[in-house]
């Protein structure tokens, strides 16, 4: 069964929007149904409802795969502030600041100002820039809290010190404040590097004689907003190229062409889109499969528009799979992104046999379709390396997009679509789309 190519593109829209809407996923179904009620036929609305259900499942997977800072926010919003007590408990004699009872009145005043503020604020003091921060700043440090209290500035933020150090030098040498808005930093706060964005100011804190003794830095993390805006721009591009698609293959190629644009690989490092028609189902499920491999953690997006559809009509990386023949119970690669003009077969086989014993591909598409569950493949690069070693070949390096390391996880997402004859999720009469998706190890809003 062929499905409307506009719906194929819409399936990927829903999948791509999940990280953006994860905080309000309970309302996804209602909002989308109201939005599309007049635009879609009854059969298409049923398909969308099934897709939304799978999208919510993927959202749950995302929640479990990526640690959330909201857990720390509970602590910082407590009526009883915890940082004053922690500051009292530190043995400051082991730091450059010296014993607490020997602190100068200027230092005591600066510390009191920071601790009393409800806005995320940190104090860097002295030659070593020892850090003291308030409750609002706890989520910013993540798992470094409370170990980081009293440590030097370099110990606190060594991974971004190349960015911060010149700013401190200017504040101390010139006595003037700095201002940075929506600056990208790659921080390690939860055991992995993540893409984060902050707006902050470094203000000099001066002594009675005008000498700069420390730096007070209020911070506002803008990661969620920046990444959400970026992803919504990609969705607009996808919407633009979908206007002229007429076939399922064209829809897949159009989506891949957007994902392959240079500025769109921060969240999606590579994608594979597979299709199965109704006659090519594994025996336990009747499905149409669209595996799609993405990545997920603020450059301007490429502009969408009617002209962009011209790229998908060319014989390029997005349609070079036309030669792949259909065979019994197999998923056929329709399009890909992030893997160049000739995707390596160990990562992107042109055809995946849909049997329990199939060992051709690393991606367990059969399991995802037959169980109708999202399958997570951990450490995909390690599995590729092992497979290549066993075969005596050279392993393919998975693309990291804008990032220096490959994705850490791949999610295979079956999107079950009911047919007109049977609107239930029955495995014998439904068609499905399956999406391969790599989860970002750095995108903090994921």
């Amino acid at each position: 069964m062929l499905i409307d190519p506009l719906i194929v593109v819409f399936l990927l829209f829903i999948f791509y929007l999940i990280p953006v809407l994860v905080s309000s996923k309970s309302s996804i179904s209602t909002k989308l149904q109201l939005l599309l009620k007049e635009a879609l036929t009854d059969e298409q609305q049923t398909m969308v409802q099934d897709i939304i259900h799978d999208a919510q499942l993927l959202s749950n997977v995302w929640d479990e795969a990526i640690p959330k800072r909201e857990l720390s926010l509970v602590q910082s919003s407590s009526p009883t502030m915890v940082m004053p007590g922690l500051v009292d408990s530190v043995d400051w004699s082991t730091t450059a600041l010296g014993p607490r009872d020997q602190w100068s009145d200027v230092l005591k005043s600066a510390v009191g100002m920071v601790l009393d503020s409800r806005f995320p604020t940190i104090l860097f003091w002295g030659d070593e820039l020892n850090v003291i921060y308030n409750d609002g700043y706890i989520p910013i440090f993540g798992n470094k809290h409370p170990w980081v209290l009293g440590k030097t500035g370099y110990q606190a933020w060594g991974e971004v010190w190349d960015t911060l150090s010149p700013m401190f030098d200017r504040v101390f040498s010139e006595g003037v404040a700095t201002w940075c808005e929506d600056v990208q930093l790659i921080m390690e706060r939860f055991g992995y590097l993540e893409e984060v964005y902050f707006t902050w100011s470094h203000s000099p804190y001066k002594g009675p004689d005008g000498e700069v003794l420390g730096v007070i830095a209020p911070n506002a993390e803008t990661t969620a907003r920046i990444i959400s805006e970026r992803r919504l721009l990609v969705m607009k591009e996808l919407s633009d190229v979908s206007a002229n698609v007429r076939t399922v293959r064209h829809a897949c190629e159009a989506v891949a062409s957007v994902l392959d644009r240079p500025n769109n690989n921060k969240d999606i490092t590579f994608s594979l889109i597979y299709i199965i028609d109704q006659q090519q189902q594994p025996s336990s499920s009747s499905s149409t499969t669209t595996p799609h491999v993405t990545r997920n953690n603020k450059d301007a997006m490429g502009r969408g528009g009617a002209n962009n559809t011209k790229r998908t009509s060319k014989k390029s990386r997005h349609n070079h799979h036309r030669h792949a023949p259909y065979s019994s119970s197999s998923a056929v690669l329709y399009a890909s992104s992030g893997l160049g003009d000739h995707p390596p077969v160990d990562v992107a086989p042109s055809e995946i046999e849909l049997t329990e014993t199939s060992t051709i591909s690393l991606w367990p598409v059969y399991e995802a379709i037959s169980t109708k569950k999202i399958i997570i493949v951990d450490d995909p690069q390690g599995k590729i390396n092992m497979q290549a070693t066993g075969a005596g070949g050279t392993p393919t390096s998975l693309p990291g997009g804008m990032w220096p390391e490959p994705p850490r996880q791949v999610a295979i997402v079956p999107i079950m679509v009911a047919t007109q004859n049977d609107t239930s999720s029955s495995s014998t009469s439904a068609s499905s789309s399956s999406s391969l998706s790599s989860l970002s190890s750095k995108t903090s809003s994921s």
Side-chain angles (χ1 to χ4, degrees), residues 115-430:
L115 294 180
D116 289 340
S117 174
R118 301 297 294 180
F119 194 83
T121 307
I122 185 171
L123 173 68
F124 298 88
W125 196 265
D127 294 337
E128 296 186 3
L129 298 173
N130 296 87
V131 302
I132 300 174
Y133 52 96
N134 62 10
D135 284 59
Y137 201 90
I138 292 175
I140 296 177
F141 268 135
N143 291 343
K144 293 182 178 183
H145 169 79
W147 167 86
V148 73
L149 181 61
K151 297 298 190 291
T152 66
Y154 179 79
Q155 289 174 313
W157 292 125
E159 67 268 33
V160 292
W161 200 244
D162 288 344
T163 299
L164 299 182
S165 181
M167 298 181 184
F168 287 120
D169 291 342
R170 182 184 177 190
V171 174
F172 275 93
S173 63
E174 301 179 18
V176 296
T178 64
W179 170 258
C180 299
E181 186 172 2
D182 295 334
V183 175
Q184 181 192 73
L185 299 171
I186 305 300
M187 291 182 169
E188 184 173 356
R189 305 181 290 178
F190 299 97
Y192 59 90
L193 292 175
E194 60 176 325
E195 169 196 15
V196 296
Y197 293 82
F198 283 94
T199 293
W200 73 83
S201 173
H202 285 170
S203 301
Y205 199 92
K206 301 178 180 180
D209 59 356
E211 179 186 5
V212 178
L213 302 177
V215 175
I216 288 184
N219 287 254
E221 184 168 358
T222 57
T223 305
R225 175 178 61 81
I226 296 297
I227 293 180
S228 295
E229 290 175 353
R230 181 176 75 206
R231 292 173 178 171
L232 287 171
L233 284 173
V234 176
M235 289 186 62
K236 178 184 180 301
E237 294 181 40
L238 289 170
S239 177
D240 290 340
V241 301
S242 71
N244 297 322
V245 299
R246 292 295 179 265
T247 66
V248 172
R249 182 179 295 278
H250 191 192
C252 295
E253 293 169 355
V255 169
S257 72
V258 171
L259 301 182
D260 222 11
R261 294 173 185 172
N263 289 329
N264 291 350
N265 61 2
K266 287 187 176 183
D267 298 294
I268 303 178
T269 62
F270 71 106
S271 67
L272 303 175
I273 304 177
Y274 288 83
I275 294 293
I276 305 171
D277 70 13
Q278 193 169 14
Q279 282 70 43
Q280 294 178 311
Q281 308 298 327
S283 59
S284 61
S285 175
S286 188
S287 61
T288 299
T289 305
T290 310
H292 157 109
V293 185
T294 66
R295 172 195 189 284
N296 290 50
N297 284 44
K298 277 41 190 193
D299 300 327
M301 291 291 145
R303 300 296 188 269
N307 292 336
N308 289 330
T309 60
K310 295 180 180 179
R311 299 179 54 187
T312 64
S313 64
K314 298 178 181 179
K315 291 184 178 180
S316 64
R317 73 196 70 173
H318 311 303
N319 59 11
H320 70 280
H321 311 294
R322 291 183 183 277
H323 68 279
Y326 278 96
S327 63
S328 177
S329 298
S330 64
V332 178
L333 184 61
Y334 267 44
S336 66
S337 67
L339 294 167
D341 294 338
H342 303 286
V345 294
D346 56 341
V347 174
S350 61
E351 195 169 348
I352 298 177
E353 183 182 359
L354 296 180
T355 63
E356 295 182 78
T357 59
S358 175
T359 58
I360 296 178
S361 173
L362 293 170
W363 319 127
V365 174
Y366 174 84
E367 180 182 358
I369 294 176
S370 59
T371 63
K372 304 178 186 177
K373 294 181 179 179
I374 298 168
I375 306 299
I376 298 296
V377 178
D378 292 313
D379 189 21
Q381 186 63 64
K383 290 179 171 59
I384 289 175
N385 295 344
M386 290 181 60
Q387 182 174 276
T389 301
T394 302
T396 298
S397 297
L398 290 176
M402 296 287 291
W403 314 111
E405 69 269 6
R408 297 185 179 186
Q409 291 181 308
V410 169
I412 304 170
V413 186
I415 304 177
M416 307 308 297
V417 182
T419 64
Q420 186 173 10
N421 295 331
D422 186 350
T423 58
S424 70
S425 58
S426 169
S427 62
T428 59
S429 61

